[in-house]
Each structure stands twice: as structure tokens, then as C-alpha cells.
Amino acid sequence: MKKILFIILLCLQMTAMAQPSSGGEGIFPAVTLESKPRTRWWWMGSAVDSANITRNLEALSIAGIGGVEITPIYGVRGWESKYIDYLSPRWMQMLAFTLSEAQRLGMSVDMNNGTGWPFGGPEVTIEDAAAKAVVRNGRITPGKTGQRVKRAAPGGQGYVLDHLNGDAVRRYFEKFDTAFAESNTPFPHSFFNDSYEVYGADWTPALPDEFEQRRGYRLQDYVAELLADGATDTSARVIADYRETIGELLYENFTQVWNEWAHSHGVATRNQAHGSPANLIDLYAAVDVPECESFGITDFNIPGLRRDAVRKINDSDPTVVKYASSAAHIAGKRYVSAETFTWLTEHFRTSLSQCKPEIDLLFASGVNRVYFHGTTYSPAEAAWPGWKFYASVDMSPTNSIWRDAPAFFDYIARTQAVLQSGLPDSDFLLYFPVYDVWHNARGSHYLPFAIHDMRKRLPEFCGAVDRIMAQGYDVDYISDRFVRTCTVENGLLKTVGGSRYKALILPSVKKIPLETLSQILALARQGATIVVQGGCPDDVPGLFRLEERRAEFAEIVEALRRETTVVAGAKDFLPQQNPETFITKYGGKMIRRRHDGGYLYFLAMLTDNPVNGWVALGTPAVSAVIFDPLTGATGKARLRNREGTTEVFLQLRAGQSLVLKTFTARDVPTEAWKYYRSTGRKLLPSTDWTMRFVASEPAVNTTFRLPALCSWTDLPNDTLKRNMGTAVYETTFRLAKRDGMEYRLCLGDVRESARVRINGNDAGVVFAVPFDVNVGRFLRDGDNRVEIEVTNLPANRIADYDRRGVEWRIFHEINFVDVAYKQSKYDGWETAPSGLLGEVVVEEWEEWEL
């Protein structure tokens, strides 16, 4: 096993050296530390030591990972004597060593402000613990939820914190002040807070006083209405007022307090707001880096993309991801991060080819900083598969996909370098109707906004997002807090973060605060376009001074109707703008940003509708440059103007993505992008292949002669049905090479990634659909030698372990569950196909002079 790891790490180092540099002669930003992908780094039992910290970090650095986020969790059986208590002097010593090693390697280190999740631990007294309302004889008395920290590490066990109690929150952070001061340990790059999973914490001691001060009446006088689940209008209004108050307390007493505390130490904050009982936009926008979560796999219609029968359907579609990206855009935050690949398929079965379209969808939804979920610290002496966390796509050196992962990481880094530059350029602001949700949602007075039920919670709002985007536009969500700080410049809405928008859309809003509606009227009078879909709002939320506020409301609505910049229409009505036909005609996914001289487009074709023609842009341009973040290739795009609309010629097959940088007034002098069309000439390199393994567990020393390509698991060798490894396919073929032609090597069905060498030259790593690579510059007239190194998944090996009763699930607490969160074994899995499964073809393409 050590020999295989050595080979993998050596290959990673060679791959990193061989990759083309990103950029485009200064046109596109270069890859930096900030643009590299990062990973959550679980410390199991915090049983870490300096030698293995170095070993782990070096492996990550060589592969192209730019940083780690330390999250301590439960430990490994048999390693109890090496556990280190969280924030103890020894733990802080290991943190300091990690920071030093990361600095040496050019990496960053983030740190969770707790173990497991949510915040809590042994220092949290019962008085400071999460609270709940206890109803007795029609009266509410405070109680405690009794919730303890989930997946806690040694030294982190204890009650969950009362996040609504500002004094309790401040006391919680005192232990960090003490630990860092006494150990003289440097602070990390940023502090992190995981998704809000404080269950049933619907109370805090100060709530009655806070409620009366904020809402204008005593909650104690309306306990029956609070518990009536909206049976009457009064009940619904009291519940809405309660929900608004809880949200404000969470925003002020936790998010702001945490942010201010971190900033006092010169540390940034990264927060997952989802799951919170508050307006998610405000919570995301309050921190330095809002973070969404990718949870599950999307059913992309991409030919050749493997679909696993065992998988978790994606709960984080673009309508959910955009809460975080919208908050960043309207608040002027540069980065939008994502907890990436929490689940895709079952453990040991996820390929890089399945990861890429998910990443592309995140990019198109506004994410520009990926944190893998993730990587478990694993010592050298741990037997394969090493230490593992139960809910993740395993991004670690013991996973066979790691061998070709650097090419994937390079793709991410190049793309993120682009998406971290410039400024957001969404078309419209979409008002988030949180008061409608607070008024209408039933089932409990306590209302968390979890990613798993956002579409069910907000069907009309999500439908509005879908319709707007389907019409070729992009939107950012906006909360009442941010509407109230908007201004108007040259007819465009401008948020406090500096982003500009063509219109504010109210999507079938029923209840809206008086202050928000007054501000919308003021914006309209200053020349902003206000789009009212499905009729004007018809009421104010809340109970206090209801009739008085309704009278003011009616006057504002009437005045709003008289404004010429206020347009009303059906649910799908939008003001006339130039749509992006990459979306409307081809069904592609994209995001647009603006730079000083024009616009940046990220374009991803995530469905079976390939583009090979002119695509109308929603913005003007006199020149444009294409950048392929997969290879680093760049070139000047062909443009034309049709009836005042700029069109660009694009070639994108299903699964591919490109970056387009346009210039509105400058003709960029650079080499032209090469367009190709098929000559129809195809060559089958050989029906006589050899196959041998350069890495395999169990070992395979045989060289196989293959009259036809097939899964190596179908060959008459039992070891091949259970191995994890890399096989080299070799053959020689003759080519009558023609001048001026490009030749594309099409690998067909690859299980799961491949490295191509032509005549001894590295031609590229192929890890995603379509599985092909241009190889013309390496081919010669006459005989040519092809070597294709294919790496399979670890699925067959782990299934064999379970069949033989190898005990590798050695973890405390939840141990290791499947995608359905059940304790199960993999001994019943069918053998996963491996290698090259069909014909390999060389296609001839000619350069297309448009």
C-alpha cells in the first residue's frame, strides 16, 4: 500500500509540473492561493501528530489544494490514548504546527469554532444552553432542549449554546481568547460555523422583553394564538411576529457577535446560515464569506455521464444556492463558498466525471470558492482505506480518484480565478417574501429554513426564480433590510455593496412591511423600475397597530400604482431586456460578471443540447476572448453584430464549459481561437491492445492481450473483479497525417479517469465527459504509439473487504453509515466496470474559417 501511495504522490507531482499555466497572456487572472480549492479536514479524536500533519498537508498541497478547514470530530477505536482535548495546550500546539506547515507549503488554514456541530461544549452551562418554550396551564416558562453537540470531539462534548442569547455567546468565545493567549498561537485564516442545526431552540430568557420592545405588545398575552398554528388571522400574525423576533435575535446576538469577536482578532468569518430560523439573506450577508452547501447529485442529461443507482438526489439546486451568492452580491462580498459534495453517490462509488457538472452548476449559481466535504486526517500507519468521515465524497490520497484529481483541481482553480475577479452582473433583484412565509407556514411556530425543504417551503418564489432564469436572465435575492439601503443611479438600482440591477421584482408578494413598501415607492420616484408580478401586495404583516398601518399601506400602494416606472403583469412578466440565448435557446447554465472593460461569462452545457453556432449575448461587445479552464487554452472569439445584438460563435458539447471575456470598446489583439469541424474521417487505432497494471491492490502482475476493449472485470482473472488500480492500455497504429488537421482521441466509456500519452508525450488527463483529447501536435505520419492509463474506483476493493469480513469501520459515534444514513455493508454490490469499455477512435478535424 505504501508503494502505491508513493507512486500516486509522484504522479501528482509530475502532473502539477506538466499542467499549462492559467491566464491568457494577461487577459485572464492567474491562479493564486485564493483561487485554489480547499477542503474540510476532519481531525478524528484530534489524534494528530506533527509527522502525519506534515504528510497529510504535503499530499494535499502537491495535488493542488489551497487550504484546509480543521473540524475536530469523534475518534477512532483503538486510538483513545492519542486523543487530544479540543483547545488544550497540546491541541493548540498541534494547531500552531499546522499553521506553520501550511505557511511553508503556501496553504491557508481555517478553523471551526467548535467540534462537530453546532457550537457548544463543556464550558456551556445549563443556563447558557439552548432553550425552548414549555407551556403549562396556558403560560410559557423557559426550559432547555437538552441538545448536546453533534459528532463532538474529545474536549468538545457538552450542551449546545443558546445562540439567541448574546451574553451566552460572548461567554462561549472566552475559551478561545484564553486558549490563543496562553499558547501564543497565531490565529487562523478564518473561523467557520456549520449549518444551523439547533433543534427546537424556540426560546431564550430575554425573549418576552425583546418581543414587547420590538413588536409593541406582550407575547405572554397571546400564548393561545402562538400555539394555534395560524387557525385565525390573529394567530398567524402573532406567529409571524414571533418568527421575526427570533430571526432578529439570531442575527444580532449570534451572527453579529461572532463576526465582531472574530474581527477583533483580525480573523474573517465563514458561515452557513441555512437551517436558521431567520432571513437567510441577512445572515449570509452579515459575515465575510457566506457559504452554501451542495447536498446530493443532480440528474444531468449528459450523454456518457455515469448514473449510479445508489445516490442522494440534490437538495441544493440553484434556487437554494443563490441565497448565499445573492447575499454576497448585494452586500459586496468577494467570495461565495460552498460545502461541496456532502453526498453524491454512495461511498467509494463517486467519480470525478460526476463531480465536474456539479461544480459547474455551483459556479453558474454564483459560487467561486469550493470547500470539499472533504478530507479526513489519516496517519501513515492506518490500514486502507484509512480514517473516513461518514458523510462525504472522499477527497484524500487513499481514494483511487486522487491520482487524476489534480487535473480537476486545476480546472477549479482556473475557473475560480475568473469568477473571483470583476463584479456581479445579475439582471434583476428579486424580493424575498419572508413575511409571507412567516405568516403562512404551518406545523410549528418555530420555522427553520433548511436546504432540504426550501422548494416545499417557497414554491411560488422558487417558481419565479425558475421562470426568470428560463427567460435568459439572472437574479439576486434581496431582503427588506437591503431594499431599505438601495439607491438609484442612472435608472439602475444600486445596493449597498455596489451591485447594479435593471429592476426590482416583487414575485406575487402578499404581505410586506410598511417601511419596505415606502422605500420601494421612493425608489420608483427616483427612476427605478419596479416589476409587480401577480398583483400588488395587499397587506402588512404583524399585529401591532394593524388598522393604522393598513391605512398607510393603502395610500402607498395607490401612489405606487401611479408611478410610471412601476409595471404590473402576470407571474412570468419581465421588462423588455436582451436575454442570454445560451439559456433560452440551448438550455445552458451561465453566470455573468462585469469587469472594467466589459463582461465575463462562465458557460456550462449541462444538458444534451450541444452548441455549434452563433449565440446572441445579452451585452454588447466589439471583441471577446475564449478561455478553456480545463486546458488553459485561450483565443480570440469570432463575433458579429446582428440588428444591434452581439453574437459569438461557440462550440460546446454536453458536459463542456468555457469562459468568455468580452470587451465593449477595445479590440483585443491576441491569437484567434481555433474552431473545428469534422472531416468525417475516423480511424480505429487498433483491435490489438495490451494491458498491464502500474498500480493495483491486490497486486496484478500479468500483461493481458485484448482483441477488444472491455471492462477488465470481465477478463478471466478473479483478482480483477476486486482490485483498485491503474492499468496501462498500449497499442500502435499507422496514420496518414494531413497538414493543417487536428486529431481528437475519443476514449468512449471510461471507468473512471485516464491519462493519455502519444509517442511518449503527455497529452492530457481525461476525467470528465466528453472523454476525449486533442492529440494532433503529438501524432506523426506513420506509426504512432498510444498509452492510456485508466484508474478505476475503489468500489470493488471495499466490497471485497466486506465480503471477507475485513474490519475497516473502526470509528466511534455514528461510525460509518451509507447514503441513507443506515449502517450497511457493501458485500452485495455488483462488480463496478473498470477500464476502457468500448472502442477508442481517432477523429480528424479541420480548422473552420468562419
Side-chain angles (χ1 to χ4, degrees):
M1 184 61 205
K2 290 182 179 179
K3 182 178 179 181
I4 289 179
L5 283 177
F6 173 77
I7 292 173
I8 290 175
L9 291 174
L10 181 61
C11 290
L12 294 181
Q13 191 169 20
M14 293 172 63
T15 301
M17 294 171 62
Q19 291 300 313
S21 62
S22 73
E25 301 175 356
I27 297 173
F28 292 94
V31 168
T32 65
L33 170 61
E34 295 300 326
S35 60
K36 291 182 178 181
R38 303 177 181 197
T39 190
R40 182 165 300 172
W41 196 25
W42 291 290
W43 282 11
M44 303 199 81
S46 295
V48 299
D49 61 67
S50 57
N52 279 299
I53 286 174
T54 296
R55 175 179 175 273
N56 277 242
L57 287 178
E58 286 181 344
L60 294 172
S61 177
I62 290 171
I65 297 294
V68 295
E69 170 223 301
I70 298 172
T71 294
I73 54 169
Y74 53 86
V76 180
R77 295 199 299 264
W79 286 75
E80 290 82 359
S81 64
K82 296 189 177 181
Y83 288 176
I84 304 173
D85 281 351
Y86 183 58
L87 298 184
S88 67
R90 177 64 176 160
W91 198 95
M92 296 304 294
Q93 183 182 357
M94 290 295 98
L95 174 62
F97 181 78
T98 300
L99 291 166
S100 175
E101 283 294 270
Q103 184 177 25
R104 176 180 68 84
L105 295 167
M107 302 175 72
S108 67
V109 176
D110 298 350
M111 174 183 164
N112 196 320
N113 273 131
T115 77
W117 63 93
F119 288 178
E123 296 83 3
V124 176
T125 64
I126 191 65
E127 290 77 18
D128 285 352
K132 66 178 181 180
V134 178
V135 181
R136 293 189 180 94
N137 300 321
R139 300 184 63 182
I140 294 178
T141 57
K144 296 296 176 179
T145 67
Q147 182 184 353
R148 300 179 71 83
V149 176
K150 190 176 181 180
R151 319 301 183 218
Q157 302 95 334
Y159 288 121
V160 168
L161 176 69
D162 180 357
H163 290 61
L164 308 179
N165 183 336
D167 291 336
V169 172
R170 292 182 185 90
R171 283 189 288 270
Y172 177 78
F173 292 119
E174 289 175 359
K175 65 181 181 181
F176 295 92
D177 294 329
T178 301
F180 278 94
E182 292 183 351
S183 65
N184 200 29
T185 299
F187 282 91
H189 174 270
S190 70
F191 286 123
F192 170 68
N193 178 44
D194 211 335
S195 54
Y196 192 82
E197 298 180 32
V198 186
Y199 303 123
D202 61 356
W203 200 258
T204 193
L207 180 59
D209 291 340
E210 293 286 353
F211 185 94
E212 184 173 1
Q213 180 180 341
R214 296 163 188 264
R215 306 282 85 85
Y217 64 98
R218 283 167 42 89
L219 182 61
Q220 300 94 311
D221 296 338
Y222 289 87
V223 173
E225 287 79 5
L226 178 67
L227 302 178
D229 199 25
T232 64
D233 183 65
T234 299
S235 171
R237 290 179 180 278
V238 170
I239 291 171
D241 281 340
Y242 162 84
R243 290 166 173 168
E244 182 178 8
T245 305
I246 288 290
E248 290 172 349
L249 293 178
L250 182 61
Y251 176 87
E252 297 169 12
N253 291 344
F254 173 70
T255 307
Q256 284 191 324
V257 169
W258 174 54
N259 204 47
E260 291 167 1
W261 171 81
H263 288 180
S264 73
H265 294 293
V267 181
T269 51
R270 198 174 99 248
N271 184 43
Q272 294 186 2
H274 44 275
S276 300
N279 192 320
L280 297 186
I281 299 168
D282 292 341
L283 294 186
Y284 278 129
V287 299
D288 298 300
V289 182
E291 179 165 297
C292 57
E293 180 175 347
S294 166
F295 200 99
I297 194 167
T298 308
D299 192 15
F300 296 108
N301 180 26
I302 299 176
L305 179 62
R306 181 170 61 80
R307 289 174 172 81
D308 202 300
V310 186
R311 56 184 181 160
K312 170 71 181 72
I313 300 302
N314 192 5
D315 290 324
S316 303
D317 68 20
T319 66
V320 176
V321 173
K322 287 179 76 67
Y323 286 96
S325 61
S326 295
H329 294 170
I330 63 176
K333 312 291 183 178
R334 181 179 181 185
Y335 301 112
V336 182
S337 64
E339 175 188 304
T340 307
F341 308 149
T342 306
W343 289 104
L344 289 186
T345 67
E346 188 56 88
H347 296 288
F348 307 100
R349 299 178 68 96
T350 303
S351 65
L352 296 174
S353 66
Q354 293 169 314
C355 293
K356 182 183 178 291
E358 297 294 343
I359 285 282
D360 287 346
L361 188 60
L362 287 174
F363 287 156
S365 303
V367 170
N368 60 12
R369 179 176 277 176
V370 163
Y371 279 80
F372 294 125
H373 193 273
T375 306
T376 310
Y377 166 99
S378 194
E381 53 268 41
W384 191 85
W387 295 1
K388 299 298 172 194
F389 181 66
Y390 73 94
S392 77
V393 172
D394 179 31
M395 288 292 180
S396 75
T398 60
N399 190 341
S400 57
I401 68 173
W402 190 257
R403 182 178 185 277
D404 292 331
F408 181 40
F409 300 162
D410 284 343
Y411 168 77
I412 293 171
R414 294 189 188 111
T415 305
Q416 291 190 159
V418 172
L419 295 178
Q420 290 172 4
S421 67
L423 296 170
D425 192 54
S426 297
D427 298 285
F428 306 123
L429 285 168
L430 186 68
Y431 174 74
F432 178 51
V434 69
Y435 288 92
D436 283 346
V437 183
W438 282 338
H439 187 90
N440 297 326
R442 300 291 176 259
S444 171
H445 55 280
Y446 182 76
L447 184 67
F449 289 96
I451 62 173
H452 310 293
D453 56 16
M454 291 299 284
R455 275 198 169 269
K456 179 177 66 176
R457 196 79 76 196
L458 294 142
E460 286 199 12
F461 179 75
C462 292
V465 178
D466 292 337
R467 290 191 298 272
I468 293 168
M469 295 180 72
Q471 292 181 63
Y473 306 110
D474 201 359
V475 295
D476 284 330
Y477 311 159
I478 190 167
S479 66
D480 296 82
R481 183 187 302 272
F482 280 89
V483 168
R484 292 167 196 169
T485 57
C486 277
T487 56
V488 181
E489 289 186 5
N490 301 318
L492 298 177
L493 287 151
K494 185 177 180 180
T495 65
V496 68
S499 295
R500 302 175 307 199
Y501 301 88
K502 302 178 183 75
L504 169 64
I505 301 172
L506 305 184
S508 302
V509 177
K510 300 305 179 186
K511 289 180 173 57
I512 190 168
L514 197 61
E515 299 81 4
T516 305
L517 197 63
S518 296
Q519 169 68 355
I520 291 173
L521 175 59
L523 294 171
R525 285 173 172 170
Q526 295 170 49
T529 299
I530 310 297
V531 179
V532 180
Q533 294 183 338
C536 281
D538 56 20
D539 205 351
V540 293
L543 185 63
F544 185 62
R545 293 177 49 242
L546 180 57
E547 295 308 320
E548 182 181 342
R549 288 186 295 125
R550 277 175 167 167
E552 294 180 55
F553 183 88
E555 292 178 5
I556 296 173
V557 168
E558 186 59 34
L560 200 61
R561 289 190 174 113
R562 292 196 297 267
E563 291 299 318
T564 58
T565 59
V566 177
V567 292
K571 290 182 179 181
D572 60 350
F573 174 81
L574 291 174
Q576 292 299 313
Q577 307 287 338
N578 291 327
E580 298 289 355
T581 59
F582 183 73
I583 299 172
T584 59
K585 183 177 179 180
Y586 294 99
K589 300 294 183 181
M590 58 156 278
I591 190 167
R592 187 181 67 233
R593 297 177 67 84
R594 55 187 168 91
H595 63 91
D596 288 342
Y599 298 88
L600 285 161
Y601 287 81
F602 172 76
L603 308 161
M605 181 46 63
L606 301 180
T607 190
D608 188 16
N609 194 17
V611 182
N612 188 29
W614 294 99
V615 177
L617 300 178
T619 58
V622 299
S623 68
V625 180
I626 292 173
F627 174 45
D628 182 356
L630 197 63
T631 65
T634 65
K636 188 174 181 179
R638 289 297 303 270
L639 297 183
R640 72 182 183 186
N641 190 289
R642 295 284 294 267
E643 298 179 353
T645 298
T646 300
E647 296 183 347
V648 59
F649 199 91
L650 293 177
Q651 293 180 313
L652 269 174
R653 288 175 291 160
Q656 290 186 318
S657 53
L658 289 174
V659 170
L660 181 72
K661 187 172 186 177
T662 69
F663 298 85
T664 55
R666 182 164 73 98
D667 189 6
V668 178
T670 189
E671 184 177 344
W673 180 259
K674 292 184 178 179
Y675 297 95
Y676 295 100
R677 58 183 175 185
S678 175
T679 67
R681 185 184 178 206
K682 296 183 180 182
L683 174 67
L684 194 66
S686 178
T687 57
D688 184 18
W689 293 82
T690 62
M691 184 190 76
R692 59 184 173 84
F693 283 87
V694 294
S696 178
E697 286 289 346
V700 179
N701 299 315
T702 305
T703 296
F704 301 87
R705 294 196 174 276
L706 308 175
L709 294 173
C710 64
S711 172
W712 73 56
T713 60
D714 292 336
L715 299 176
N717 184 311
D718 288 342
T719 303
L720 298 182
K721 292 176 173 54
R722 56 191 177 91
N723 80 318
M724 173 187 81
T726 299
V728 181
Y729 294 78
E730 299 179 62
T731 193
T732 301
F733 72 99
R734 290 189 63 81
L735 173 68
K737 187 177 181 182
R738 300 199 294 171
D739 292 340
M741 296 295 165
E742 178 59 270
Y743 294 88
R744 182 173 295 165
L745 183 65
C746 305
L747 304 185
D749 192 353
V750 178
R751 304 297 179 93
E752 295 294 331
S753 62
R755 292 176 177 221
V756 176
R757 283 193 300 274
I758 305 292
N759 296 320
N761 299 295
D762 290 330
V765 178
V766 184
F767 65 86
V769 175
F771 291 110
D772 52 37
V773 60
N774 289 348
V775 296
R777 65 191 184 279
F778 304 118
L779 293 173
R780 56 194 176 216
D781 189 52
D783 291 339
N784 291 272
R785 184 155 195 81
V786 180
E787 298 169 88
I788 305 171
E789 294 185 4
V790 181
T791 301
N792 74 339
L793 294 174
N796 294 337
R797 188 180 181 196
I798 203 69
D800 176 63
Y801 268 36
D802 277 357
R803 293 186 191 107
R804 293 190 289 114
V806 177
E807 187 55 51
W808 60 272
R809 295 175 179 85
I810 55 173
F811 316 109
H812 282 296
E813 226 258 12
I814 195 172
N815 199 349
F816 200 83
V817 295
D818 63 18
V819 71
Y821 286 81
K822 295 180 179 178
Q823 300 285 346
S824 64
K825 292 193 173 183
Y826 307 138
D827 51 349
W829 281 358
E830 295 182 2
T831 303
S834 303
L836 296 175
L837 270 57
E839 289 184 342
V840 172
V841 176
V842 176
E843 297 179 347
E844 185 181 72
W845 293 73
E846 63 179 352
E847 193 166 344
W848 193 357
E849 297 292 342
L850 298 172

